[in-house]
Amino acid sequence: MVGKTKKEVFLDKTLKLICEKGFKATTMRDIAQNMNFEVANVYNYINSKDALLEFYIFNVMDEFTQFLENILDSSYTPVEKLKLIMSKHVQFAATDPYKFSLFIYEWRDLAEPKLSEFKEKRSIYLEEVANVIGQGVDQGQLREIDSKFATLMIFSSMRGLLSLATGEEKINPIEIEKQLNEFVFSGIGI
């Protein structure tokens, strides 16, 4: 963690702890003990556990949404667009596995009204990806398949990336991406 600020180190260690224990099971006391300081010192870095969760989940959602918008506005084919979308998820899981974990698993712990807001954004995101698959089907680039089902299956398979990214063994995201493409396109490709 060379070159990182105290806050960055705090956030990295806290994200890892939350990933390991789960958001609900992690207390402010756990965070303080993990950092070897008093609970009151935690508040120098975050206002609350909920604020931390909200901050990361919405920042990640905004990053993915902006990336998706750029892809949708591009001249790439639907298959190329889908590969870029999957690539973004693989790269994110490999480079920021603990943020990825919050985004994938802990969003359900958002407090209202943020939970509903996130669900709406997530629904729109998944619908846009399904539209890309639907365009691929319509253009004969992908086999006939229900695009919403295919979207859910693709994202379900990518959830498993977290165990690879947080494991002891270093992963090669390029190789994982290649294998994911082979897996997905052997099922929906023509």
Side-chain angles (χ1 to χ4, degrees):
M1 296 192 193
V2 176
K4 291 192 175 191
T5 66
K6 288 180 183 180
K7 184 167 185 172
E8 289 171 330
V9 171
F10 170 84
L11 293 172
D12 287 348
K13 286 185 173 186
T14 300
L15 286 172
K16 183 177 181 186
L17 179 66
I18 290 171
C19 180
E20 290 168 351
K21 288 189 76 169
F23 179 77
K24 283 187 176 180
T26 304
T27 65
M28 293 298 263
R29 184 170 309 285
D30 294 332
I31 294 169
Q33 287 175 343
N34 190 46
M35 295 302 298
N36 294 319
F37 52 61
E38 299 296 320
V39 174
N41 291 342
V42 172
Y43 294 100
N44 292 327
Y45 296 96
I46 58 174
N47 294 332
S48 69
K49 210 172 63 159
D50 290 328
L52 179 73
L53 180 67
E54 184 178 307
F55 171 78
Y56 276 117
I57 287 180
F58 280 93
N59 278 345
V60 170
M61 187 78 242
D62 291 345
E63 180 182 335
F64 276 101
T65 299
Q66 182 60 53
F67 186 81
L68 181 62
E69 287 173 7
N70 289 336
I71 290 171
L72 296 176
D73 290 340
S74 75
S75 60
Y76 283 110
T77 67
V79 167
E80 292 168 331
K81 288 178 182 181
L82 185 57
K83 286 181 179 180
L84 285 169
I85 293 164
M86 293 187 324
S87 175
K88 173 72 172 170
H89 285 262
V90 170
Q91 295 302 318
F92 187 72
T95 58
D96 286 313
Y98 302 116
K99 286 183 196 174
F100 187 73
S101 175
L102 282 181
F103 184 71
I104 296 297
Y105 297 112
E106 308 297 343
W107 62 266
R108 292 167 187 87
D109 293 319
L110 286 167
E112 288 294 354
K114 291 298 186 181
L115 177 59
S116 293
E117 182 183 339
F118 177 78
K119 284 180 178 179
E120 178 67 21
K121 287 183 175 209
R122 181 176 172 265
S123 178
I124 291 168
Y125 185 87
L126 292 174
E127 188 174 309
E128 292 289 357
V129 174
N131 288 341
V132 169
I133 294 171
Q135 291 167 7
V137 170
D138 292 344
Q139 294 176 19
Q141 297 175 356
L142 299 172
R143 72 178 182 86
E144 192 68 37
I145 190 168
D146 180 272
S147 60
K148 288 183 180 183
F149 175 76
T151 300
L152 291 176
M153 292 301 99
I154 289 168
F155 282 99
S156 291
S157 67
M158 286 193 283
R159 279 189 205 109
L161 295 173
L162 183 62
S163 61
L164 292 173
T166 57
E168 295 293 320
E169 208 173 296
K170 182 95 170 125
I171 66 164
N172 179 340
I174 302 301
E175 184 59 31
I176 297 298
E177 185 178 324
K178 177 182 178 278
Q179 291 177 28
L180 182 63
N181 279 324
E182 289 171 359
F183 174 75
V184 168
F185 289 100
S186 69
I188 66 173
I190 54 170

